[in-house]
Amino acid sequence: MSDKQQQSSEEIDLGQLFQLIGNAFKKLFNFIASIFKGIFHFIMLFLLFIQKHFIKFVIAGVIGIGLGIYLDSKKEQKYISSMVVEPNFNSVQQLYNNIDFYNELAKAKDSVALSNALKITSTEAASIKELIIESYSDENQKIKLFDQFIRELDTTTVKNLDFEAYLKNFNTFDARFHKINLISTDSRVAKKAQPEIVKSISNNGYFKEQKATNDNNIILQDSIYKQQLDEIVSLQQLYKSVMEKEAAKEMQGTNINLAENSRSQSKEIELLKERDLLKEKIVKLNQERADKTSILNVISDFPTRGVELGGFVNQYKFILPILLVSLLLVFFLLLELNKALKQYNKE
């Protein structure tokens, strides 16, 4: 009898447990449904609000477009031109200083001083609104710069330096390439100003001296490499001649020293390796000569004609309609909020 009572009690407990779980899920689903109902209710109220003031929003949009078209027709069209350069012999600081100087003259509207600096007419100088310079480097270039950087350090310093630490200390002047942007109301002035921007660096006495020294060092290093290469070729010919004589003696039945023959072959292999290393050094030297033919390498010239600045997004006929409709929307929302607060106060 007691076993039946215990089994019945367990069934009642399980029934209550499943009922509690069912109630919990029901409450959860009701809660989720209430959220969706609230969102749907809010959307419908907003759509009714838009419907109520739709004509007013359309009028505000049309006024904004008309006013924007008028203002766009009155404002000066600006153009942007870009040039990518590679400064050599630590001339990057001077390049930034020069561009900042030109930019200050443009902002101060000192067209006379700017025309003298860039060797253009005063009218062309007055059309220049801004000059900007920025570093032009991606992750791959930073990795290459890091590799060159650690090659110049001793083993102890390299162990305490990683790529992340290098990136934290990486600044604008460390980049290999730099982009100069010129903004003007004259689309063709950038191309005319380019020669003087380049000359302002190339004609600097200090950098010219650095380039001359580098050219002499390259010539000297090249002559040393070529002399070493000639010596290696001569030694190769000598070892070849020795080995041919030893081979001839072997053909005649003369006893030869195998150890000596092995050493000759080993030396010839070492000379081949040394010759390959020298060829690699000569290739790198030629590449350095090509990279540093100028104090300021122009990678990409200013285009003959600049492109329009800003595009459609920065035009008044696009900005003003959005601005007026947004202001009108906020105004009507505040009115509705005020009505709701008054109604709540009465209740």
Side-chain angles (χ1 to χ4, degrees):
M1 188 71 178
S2 60
D3 291 340
K4 290 182 178 180
Q5 289 178 348
Q6 184 177 359
Q7 184 178 0
S8 176
S9 176
E10 289 176 355
E11 289 177 355
I12 293 171
D13 291 340
L14 287 173
Q16 290 177 344
L17 176 62
F18 283 123
Q19 186 177 5
L20 288 173
I21 293 173
N23 290 336
F25 275 107
K26 185 177 180 180
K27 290 180 180 179
L28 176 63
F29 291 141
N30 288 337
F31 175 72
I32 294 173
S34 66
I35 292 175
F36 281 106
K37 286 180 181 178
I39 294 172
F40 178 76
H41 180 67
F42 175 79
I43 292 173
M44 294 305 297
L45 287 176
F46 181 74
L47 290 175
L48 289 171
F49 171 79
I50 296 295
Q51 183 186 41
K52 181 180 178 181
H53 301 288
F54 181 73
I55 301 299
K56 298 169 187 175
F57 290 138
V58 171
I59 293 172
V62 171
I63 292 173
I65 292 173
L67 185 59
I69 292 173
Y70 173 76
L71 292 175
D72 284 334
S73 65
K74 292 296 182 182
K75 75 173 184 179
E76 289 182 312
Q77 179 59 56
K78 293 181 181 180
Y79 301 88
I80 183 169
S81 302
S82 300
M83 175 173 64
V84 178
V85 297
E86 179 188 15
N88 291 317
F89 312 110
N90 298 319
S91 60
V92 61
Q93 178 69 68
Q94 186 63 51
L95 176 64
Y96 272 73
N97 290 343
N98 289 0
I99 298 300
D100 288 342
F101 171 67
Y102 301 145
N103 189 48
E104 290 300 321
L105 293 179
K107 286 185 175 180
K109 298 182 179 180
D110 192 347
S111 57
V112 176
L114 188 57
S115 67
N116 290 332
L118 297 177
K119 299 296 184 291
I120 54 179
T121 66
S122 297
T123 304
E124 291 169 338
S127 71
I128 298 176
K129 301 303 178 184
E130 189 176 8
L131 287 102
I132 308 166
I133 184 168
E134 57 188 1
S135 61
Y136 185 78
S137 59
D138 55 20
E139 205 65 24
N140 290 333
Q141 292 174 4
K142 289 178 180 179
I143 292 172
K144 289 180 180 179
L145 289 171
F146 177 70
D147 180 62
Q148 294 175 4
F149 177 69
I150 61 176
R151 288 175 185 271
E152 299 173 357
L153 303 176
D154 57 81
T155 309
T156 306
T157 307
V158 170
K159 288 180 180 178
N160 299 324
L161 183 68
D162 57 13
F163 184 62
E164 294 298 326
Y166 174 79
L167 286 180
K168 288 181 181 179
N169 295 304
F170 188 88
N171 60 53
T172 301
F173 299 145
D174 293 327
R176 181 180 177 184
F177 302 112
H178 303 266
K179 183 165 69 173
I180 301 171
N181 294 320
L182 189 148
I183 300 172
S184 172
T185 56
D186 183 351
S187 62
R188 301 181 184 276
V189 72
K191 191 68 174 179
K192 297 177 181 178
Q194 176 178 326
E196 203 56 37
I197 292 175
V198 176
K199 284 182 183 178
S200 66
I201 302 298
S202 300
N203 290 341
N204 183 289
Y206 172 76
F207 301 132
K208 287 170 74 174
E209 187 67 30
Q210 291 293 312
K211 182 182 181 304
T213 302
N214 185 76
D215 290 344
N216 292 333
N217 289 339
I218 288 177
I219 292 171
L220 177 61
Q221 195 68 49
D222 186 53
S223 64
I224 292 173
Y225 287 159
K226 287 180 178 178
Q227 182 180 355
Q228 290 176 339
L229 191 60
D230 291 339
E231 291 174 354
I232 288 174
V233 171
S234 298
L235 284 172
Q236 282 180 319
Q237 291 175 348
L238 177 61
Y239 289 142
K240 185 178 179 181
S241 176
V242 170
M243 292 176 69
E244 286 176 351
K245 289 179 179 179
E246 289 176 348
K249 289 179 181 179
E250 186 178 10
M251 293 293 293
Q252 294 172 3
T254 308
N255 292 330
I256 57 173
N257 191 335
L258 295 176
E260 185 67 30
N261 189 26
S262 177
R263 280 197 297 269
S264 298
Q265 290 179 349
S266 176
K267 289 180 180 179
E268 187 177 15
I269 292 172
E270 289 178 4
L271 285 176
L272 288 171
K273 292 180 180 178
E274 191 66 30
R275 187 181 67 177
D276 290 338
L277 288 174
L278 272 175
K279 286 181 178 179
E280 290 179 7
K281 290 180 180 180
I282 291 173
V283 169
K284 288 181 180 179
L285 193 65
N286 289 335
Q287 185 62 52
E288 183 182 356
R289 182 189 284 113
D291 291 340
K292 296 186 176 180
T293 52
S294 302
I295 295 172
L296 186 68
N297 294 334
V298 178
I299 308 302
S300 175
D301 296 278
F302 278 131
T304 306
R305 181 183 174 86
V307 297
E308 291 186 8
L309 180 66
F312 184 74
V313 177
N314 290 327
Q315 294 181 10
Y316 287 120
K317 60 176 170 280
F318 179 79
I319 297 173
L320 283 181
I322 295 176
L323 180 62
L324 289 178
V325 171
S326 299
L327 290 174
L328 197 61
L329 177 64
V330 172
F331 175 73
F332 287 135
L333 285 174
L334 289 174
L335 287 180
E336 292 294 331
L337 177 62
N338 186 51
K339 289 180 183 179
L341 290 174
K342 286 183 179 179
Q343 186 66 29
Y344 180 81
N345 190 35
K346 288 180 181 180
E347 293 176 356

